[in-house]
């Protein structure tokens, strides 16, 4: 029975909601769908519902599973819930799909042949392993790159297909498909042998374990009596299946989403998961929210007008009582440098007038666009952060240190072992390592065990035997410390010294090496912070490694006051900023040239909707008449999305450039398309068909192989000459099949 203090809290909590929001928050048992536009309080409803369930005793903290899109969002959600409840709620699972699956697998992976200590391979590790598999199969990795092959594997896994299903479903027997399927099979066997999972495996294996073992499924579905999911429009097949397995028994699944914000189709997200929710759960209670609390009416009207151009859209009418606010500023600049100068100049002006830098965000469609804006910000001495571009955990020294920890936690992890065995250099070269691996394979033992007795490895020189012996002695000693459960911070610090890593950096005497040392010090700090909050009875090292493996790029955003924020629109999902700039509003940039066919274009338009609806008070959209793209100058038409914003919502600054109005510029664009080499206007003509793996010749680039076929008649060709990969319009590019 809630006491008076908590009943007061619950009354307060409900007071901060409008009637439909309150209806969703207080909904009892059974499926719940909240389908609503941007900024209507969907995330707020989820947060309040969690606090409500717990605060009223409808669910205990450990009976709640809340899924968010990023670690950052999870952290924010937990903090908000704690604020609403007035106390900590440690036991609650608020996390991303990947983190929740990883945590489940720590307990149950043994049923699939893994141990608790399995390693999580990030994209780069996975790619390296794919390369090794391709090498082993004798496949030419210049023609069939590990990146392209891994992409196919990942895509298949997210559709819950294994190597054989991939081979069957693709229906093609080109060299590419065959190589992918072979590599896929070998890759899976290797992962299992090394007791490792890639990111996709976390989801796939979590589904497998629930699907195969009734008792596991029963345990989780009775443990998590309430499952809540934010950004549901971006779930893919494997995520959908996982939720279904968890919730089919009690059906307490609450999802929130906005079909207009589905922007991960290219990664296999399936908007039907949202649109067909009522079919999957016929008894679901549906709540629609229409009042937007984020933006001015001008910004909302612009967003509504743009999204109305999509055919497949559930109609939603958003309104706000924030008033009209300022008109949207649209500027057409000469080139990307002028664009950056304009954006940065405006930022300076706004800051002079009292805005905080932290209130300002600059969005762009592709990562590469950030550089010029960054340069300009640096020159004007404005501090900023780039979300999603940060590389702390990708730096070589950080990855080395983590690889050491990974081997100490899981000695079967060959990839990490290979990474560190000669880093810093200790005279154990590629050849020696190859001999050890070969010996391990022959004897059917692990590389770790083979290395532990170097004298018995045939063909290993005395120097190598000695170095390897010393290395293994040290590793065994460190492993003992792991078993004694010394804090990770201490373990890391001593391993960095005992392995000679720090000494080697010091010996370099370069600024760069100094920076690396500082980065490692920062990592020790990360470990100490972790130690301070780690729970007693956990496998701390594994949990620590898992946490690090899951820190996605987009999550490195820090909350420092006074930083202008730069990011791609994809990373901006769910966030809000008082002042927003959207740069690069040009055809070919945004909408992206890769996405100019129908389905692709609608996803680009949803991305425009996401971008616009992040803005609270002020919105700028800029374009450049010419722009350097990969060293060549491109002359882009202004983006169609600019013309879809009603004229009267804008400030009409550059009259000469924009006076032509909607109809004129549409006609002009049609004309431009007809003569342009990237036309989509004639997409009903049959395009010459290419298949994965086709050998082709290009008039300028020479011989190549088709490594991708995309919607809209686009083929991706990898050229043998310079190893470059280019996207070409099959219909227009001077390529022929050989
Ligand atoms: P998105 O679609 O972008 O994810 P959302 O629907 O999740 O948006 P929220 O982020 O939850 O929307 O809310 C948008 C803003 O409106 C937030 O600042 C939130 O605090 C505020 N807000 C939502 N509902 C209310 C309300 N009833 N009263 C006051 N503020 C509210
Ligand atoms: Mg939200």
């Amino acid at each position: 029975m809630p006491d008076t203090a908590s009943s007061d809290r619950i009354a307060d909590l409900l007071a901060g909601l409008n009637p439909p929001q309150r209806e969703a928050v207080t909904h009892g048992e059974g499926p719940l769908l909240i389908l609503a536009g941007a900024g209507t309080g969907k995330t707020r409803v989820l947060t309040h519902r969690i606090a409500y369930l717990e605060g009223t005793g409808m669910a205990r903290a450990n009976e709640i599973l809340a899924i968010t899109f990023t670690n950052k969002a999870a952290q924010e959600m937990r903090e908000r819930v704690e604020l609403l409840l007035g106390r900590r709620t440690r036991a609650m699972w608020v996390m991303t799909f990947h983190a929740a699956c990883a945590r489940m697998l720590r307990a149950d992976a043994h049923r699939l042949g893994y141990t608790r200590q399995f390693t999580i391979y990030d994209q780069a590790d996975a790619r390296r392993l794919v390369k090794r598999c391709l090498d082993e199969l004798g496949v030419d990795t210049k023609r069939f790159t590990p990146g392209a092959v891994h992409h196919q594997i990942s895509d298949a896994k997210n559709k819950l297909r294994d190597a054989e299903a991939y081979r069957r479903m693709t229906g093609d027997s080109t060299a590419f498909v065959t190589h992918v399927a072979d590599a896929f099979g070998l890759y899976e066997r290797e992962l299992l042998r090394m007791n490792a999972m890639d990111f996709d495996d976390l989801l796939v294996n979590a589904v497998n374990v629930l699907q195969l073992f009734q008792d596991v499924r029963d345990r989780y579905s009775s443990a998590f009596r309430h499952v809540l999911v934010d950004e549901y429009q971006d779930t893919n097949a494997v995520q959908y299946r996982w939720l279904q397995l968890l919730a089919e028994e009690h059906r307490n699944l609450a999802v929130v989403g906005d079909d207009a914000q589905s922007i991960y189709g290219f990664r296999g997200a399936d908007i039907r998961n949202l649109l067909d929710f009522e079919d999957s759960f016929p008894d679901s209670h549906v709540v629609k929210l229409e009042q937007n609390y984020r933006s001015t009416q001008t910004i909302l009207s612009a967003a509504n007008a743009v999204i109305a151009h999509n055919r497949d859209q559930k109609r939603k009418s958003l309104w706000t009582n924030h008033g009209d606010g300022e008109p949207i500023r649209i500027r057409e600049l000469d080139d990307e440098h002028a664009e950056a100068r304009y954006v940065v100049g405006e930022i300076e002006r706004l800051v002079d007038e009292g805005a905080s830098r932290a209130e300002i965000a600059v969005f762009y469609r592709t990562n590469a666009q950030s550089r010029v804006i960054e340069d300009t910000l640096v020159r004007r001495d404005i501090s900023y952060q780039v979300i999603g571009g940060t590389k702390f955990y990708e730096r070589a020294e950080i990855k080395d240190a983590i690889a050491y920890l990974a081997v100490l936690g899981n000695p079967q992890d060959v990839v990490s072992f290979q990474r560190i065995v000669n880093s810093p250099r200790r005279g154990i070269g590629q050849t020696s390592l190859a001999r050890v691996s070969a010996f391990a394979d022959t004897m059917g033992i692990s590389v770790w065990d083979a290395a532990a007795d170097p004298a018995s490895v045939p063909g290993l020189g005395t120097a190598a035997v000695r170095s390897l012996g010393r290395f293994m002695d040290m590793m065994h000693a460190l492993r003992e410390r792991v078993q004694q459960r010394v804090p990770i911070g201490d373990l890391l610090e001593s391993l960095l010294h005992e392995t000679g890593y720090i000494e080697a950096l010091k010996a370099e005497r370069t600024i760069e090496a100094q920076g690396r040392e500082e980065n490692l010090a920062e990592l020790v700090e990360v470990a100490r912070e972790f130690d301070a909050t780690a729970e007693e009875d956990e496998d701390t090292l594994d949990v620590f490694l898992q946490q690090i493996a899951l820190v996605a790029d987009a999550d490195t955003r820090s909350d420092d006051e006074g930083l202008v924020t730069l990011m791609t629109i994809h990373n901006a999902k769910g966030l809000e900023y008082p002042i927003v700039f959207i740069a690069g509003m040009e055809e070919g940039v945004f909408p992206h040239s890769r996405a100019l066919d129908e389905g692709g274009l609608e996803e680009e338009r949803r991305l425009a909707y996401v971008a616009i609806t992040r803005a609270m008070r002020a919105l700028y959209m800029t374009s450049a008449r010419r722009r350097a793209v990969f060293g060549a100058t491109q002359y882009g038409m202004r983006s169609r999305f600019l013309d879809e914003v009603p004229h009267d919502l804008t400030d009409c600054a550059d009259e000469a450039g924009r006076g032509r109005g909607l109809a004129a510029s549409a006609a002009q664009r049609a004309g431009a398309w007809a003569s342009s080499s990237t036309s989509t206007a004639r997409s009903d003509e049959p395009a010459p068909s290419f298949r994965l793996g086709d050998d082709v010749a290009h008039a300028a680039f020479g011989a190549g192989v088709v490594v991708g076929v995309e919607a809209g008649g686009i083929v991706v060709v990898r050229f043998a000459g310079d190893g470059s990969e280019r996207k070409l319009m099959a219909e227009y590019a001077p390529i022929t099949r050989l």
Side-chain angles (χ1 to χ4, degrees), residues 15-18 21 36-45 80 230-231 256 258 261 289 291-294 572-576 613-614 616:
L17 301 168
N18 65 30
Q21 289 177 333
T40 51
K42 294 184 298 298
T43 303
R44 185 181 173 103
V45 163
R80 297 229 179 124
D230 199 1
E231 308 275 4
V256 313
D258 178 3
Q261 294 187 67
L289 308 173
Q291 179 170 3
N292 171 294
Y293 289 87
R294 178 180 294 149
K573 195 160 86 143
L575 305 177
E576 57 190 20
T613 53
R614 300 308 94 198
M616 299 162 78

Side-chain angles (χ1 to χ4, degrees), residues 51-83:
Y52 181 83
L53 290 172
E54 202 192 331
T56 54
M58 282 168 70
R60 287 194 303 271
N62 62 4
E63 290 176 330
I64 294 172
L65 170 64
I67 298 294
T68 62
F69 209 75
T70 61
N71 294 327
K72 170 87 186 159
Q75 186 191 326
E76 268 172 16
M77 186 169 282
R78 181 185 295 279
E79 283 165 9
R80 297 229 179 124
V81 170
E82 288 176 348
L83 210 64

Side-chain angles (χ1 to χ4, degrees), residues 227-289:
V227 181
L228 304 95
V229 188
D230 199 1
E231 308 275 4
Y232 187 69
Q233 74 277 358
D234 280 320
T235 49
N236 66 21
V238 58
Q239 292 164 339
Y240 175 80
R241 183 74 192 124
W242 185 75
L243 290 170
Q244 206 183 27
L245 287 164
L246 286 176
E248 68 190 351
E249 195 58 41
H250 53 62
R251 310 172 64 72
N252 292 329
L253 176 61
V255 306
V256 313
D258 178 3
D259 57 318
Q261 294 187 67
S262 155
I263 55 174
Y264 279 93
F266 72 101
R267 270 202 213 154
D270 190 348
I271 197 168
R272 280 175 308 175
N273 293 345
L274 178 72
L275 298 178
D276 298 345
F277 189 83
E278 290 172 79
D279 295 338
S280 316
F281 295 93
D283 53 334
S284 56
H285 184 68
V286 182
V287 174
K288 299 208 162 130
L289 308 173

